Amino acid sequence: MMSSTSGIVLLVVYLGVCVESKLSYGCYGPPGSPCTKHTLSCAKGEVISLSDNLGVITFAKKLNTSSCEPVLQDECDTNSCCKPGDDSKPSDVMPVSEADKILIYNQCSNKESCTVTSPYKHNSDYNYLQYFYFCMLGSKVNNITDKQNTTHSRSGFLYFTGQTKPSSHLTCSCEVTSPGKINVISYFVNLSPDTCSRVKISSQNRQLVKCDHKGGALIFNKWLDQVKEAITIDFDDFSAKRTDTIWFEFGPERDKELNINCTGCIHINSGPALTPAGFKLGVVTAITIIIPLLITGRHL
Ligand SMILES: *[C@@H]1O[C@H](CO)[C@@H](O)[C@H](O)[C@H]1NC(C)=O
Ligand SMILES: *[C@@H]1O[C@H](CO)[C@@H](O)[C@H](O)[C@H]1NC(C)=O
Ligand SMILES: *[C@@H]1O[C@H](CO)[C@@H](O)[C@H](O)[C@H]1NC(C)=O
Ligand SMILES: *[C@@H]1O[C@H](CO)[C@@H](O)[C@H](O)[C@H]1NC(C)=O
């Protein structure tokens, strides 16, 4: 417990920016049962940064469950079994699985709010879940894909997700420089085995993120390194998967400035993204407009 407390302090110091920490609770129950959708949220203009290096997306068991009744849908926020209550400390906590953690990070990272399906552990009778996260200003989080040359007196942040615009063949780079040393902190890096080799994050030819033996890369909140030389993020013909995410903080030394210089991505989008609805529309168009035209054309 001691170490987690100091861990929180450490993280806030590293952030070097004004952030608000939050602890949210949600009811525990098998999928589909009442109150098993949980919403995490920040104020307008702020975004969620999960912080699970401390094991804080956890199942929790209440100390005193004598008053626990089955939860009803209209009492998700009020049912006393869904939060710690007077006895404040849970009697037992257990981190959620890595797969659940990835899902929650994917859905919530850098979003103003998100609603997640509560993780569930078969054959375990926990009472509630705890989500610990920070809220930070969204405008501080720069997109890797945008052309930019920005100077920061404190930490700078670079972000990429394959979720918003499915993009193919991205080629671009960002360079992060400072007159002093730079702390490199991962908030979340998730690259699939198919795409990891297309992304290079390095300083002086030293890779800061390495693709693992399965080919991908997965890093939650972690201080990675302190470097003296420029850091580059290179996308080389990178066709991102929806789950691909990169989120870094770059912290300069005190009183030193940080420069982020990005080329902006050149990308060949393979036409408008075909959502299932878009695809249906396309098929309907083909049947109702194009095919009759072809047939008419043939008759002319
Ligand atoms: C548990 O909670 C019930 C109802 O809130 C209370 O009456 C009881 O005294 C508590 N038991 C302990 C051991 O604290
Ligand atoms: C980054 O891109 C997203 C989605 O296109 C946008 O909503 C956000 O404002 C951008 N962030 C910055 C700092 O420009
Ligand atoms: C980026 O900005 C810095 C400081 O504002 C400036 O010195 C530098 O020349 C700029 N670089 C480019 C490529 O625009
Ligand atoms: C910034 O980016 C431009 C365009 O890629 C590049 O020519 C320039 O050298 C970069 N400047 C710095 C200071 O990194």
Side-chain angles (χ1 to χ4, degrees):
M1 208 56 215
M2 228 11 237
S3 67
S4 12
T5 312
S6 54
I8 293 172
V9 173
L10 206 69
L11 188 68
V12 175
V13 170
Y14 273 134
L15 280 162
V17 285
C18 206
V19 291
E20 186 195 350
S21 69
K22 290 218 176 191
L23 190 50
S24 288
Y25 304 104
C27 303
Y28 175 81
S33 59
C35 308
T36 49
K37 293 250 190 258
H38 301 162
T39 298
L40 316 187
S41 62
C42 292
K44 198 158 172 50
E46 293 185 342
V47 293
I48 296 168
S49 156
L50 287 145
S51 173
D52 198 43
N53 51 338
L54 313 169
V56 285
I57 305 177
T58 49
F59 301 108
K61 204 175 271 185
K62 281 175 78 78
L63 268 174
N64 180 358
T65 54
S66 66
S67 63
C68 271
E69 310 262 322
V71 186
L72 302 174
Q73 190 59 50
D74 61 355
E75 53 181 35
C76 300
D77 296 332
T78 52
N79 190 300
S80 64
C81 303
C82 300
K83 47 184 145 221
D86 294 342
D87 40 15
S88 78
K89 270 189 190 159
S91 73
D92 181 18
V93 293
M94 162 70 89
V96 302
S97 71
E98 186 174 88
D100 282 329
K101 221 162 98 170
I102 293 171
L103 279 177
I104 296 167
Y105 269 69
N106 277 339
Q107 287 176 69
C108 300
S109 292
N110 200 18
K111 304 263 166 62
E112 210 169 272
S113 75
C114 62
T115 300
V116 299
T117 299
S118 163
Y120 181 71
K121 205 166 156 36
H122 289 279
N123 306 321
S124 306
D125 59 341
Y126 289 97
N127 298 111
Y128 61 97
L129 280 108
Q130 310 187 110
Y131 300 90
F132 185 72
Y133 56 99
F134 291 99
C135 291
M136 60 179 283
L137 267 183
S139 58
K140 288 196 182 288
V141 185
N142 293 16
N143 294 309
I144 292 175
T145 52
D146 290 350
K147 183 176 160 61
Q148 62 198 286
N149 178 22
T150 51
T151 303
H152 308 257
S153 57
R154 292 229 177 129
S155 287
F157 299 85
L158 279 173
Y159 179 79
F160 172 82
T161 176
Q163 277 173 36
T164 39
K165 10 181 183 183
S167 347
S168 40
H169 308 292
L170 297 173
T171 296
C172 51
S173 71
C174 288
E175 190 171 53
V176 182
T177 52
S178 173
K181 292 175 190 153
I182 307 169
N183 281 301
V184 185
I185 300 145
S186 156
Y187 276 27
F188 187 39
V189 176
N190 186 15
L191 293 166
S192 86
D194 298 338
T195 54
C196 193
S197 65
R198 294 289 167 189
V199 176
K200 205 162 114 198
I201 300 158
S202 58
S203 179
Q204 278 242 312
N205 293 323
R206 194 157 49 88
Q207 299 261 29
L208 298 173
V209 174
K210 293 194 185 77
C211 304
D212 62 25
H213 63 283
K214 287 187 227 140
L218 179 65
I219 313 171
F220 295 98
N221 314 79
K222 193 176 175 205
W223 177 87
L224 292 182
D225 210 337
Q226 187 184 53
V227 300
K228 276 195 259 174
E229 310 294 333
I231 298 145
T232 54
I233 298 181
D234 275 305
F235 287 179
D236 173 20
D237 195 12
F238 171 39
S239 294
K241 299 262 184 233
R242 281 189 63 82
T243 53
D244 284 343
T245 306
I246 299 165
W247 190 1
F248 278 108
E249 173 181 354
F250 299 102
E253 283 178 46
R254 184 191 277 271
D255 300 329
K256 295 268 164 58
E257 285 194 328
L258 184 89
N259 181 258
I260 297 181
N261 183 15
C262 297
T263 59
C265 289
I266 301 159
H267 64 111
I268 312 140
N269 247 333
S270 47
L274 274 187
T275 58
F279 181 72
K280 256 190 233 155
L281 192 67
V283 171
V284 170
T285 311
I287 293 171
T288 58
I289 301 173
I290 299 168
I291 294 175
L293 273 180
L294 286 178
I295 295 167
T296 325
R298 217 183 272 165
H299 283 293
L300 287 177

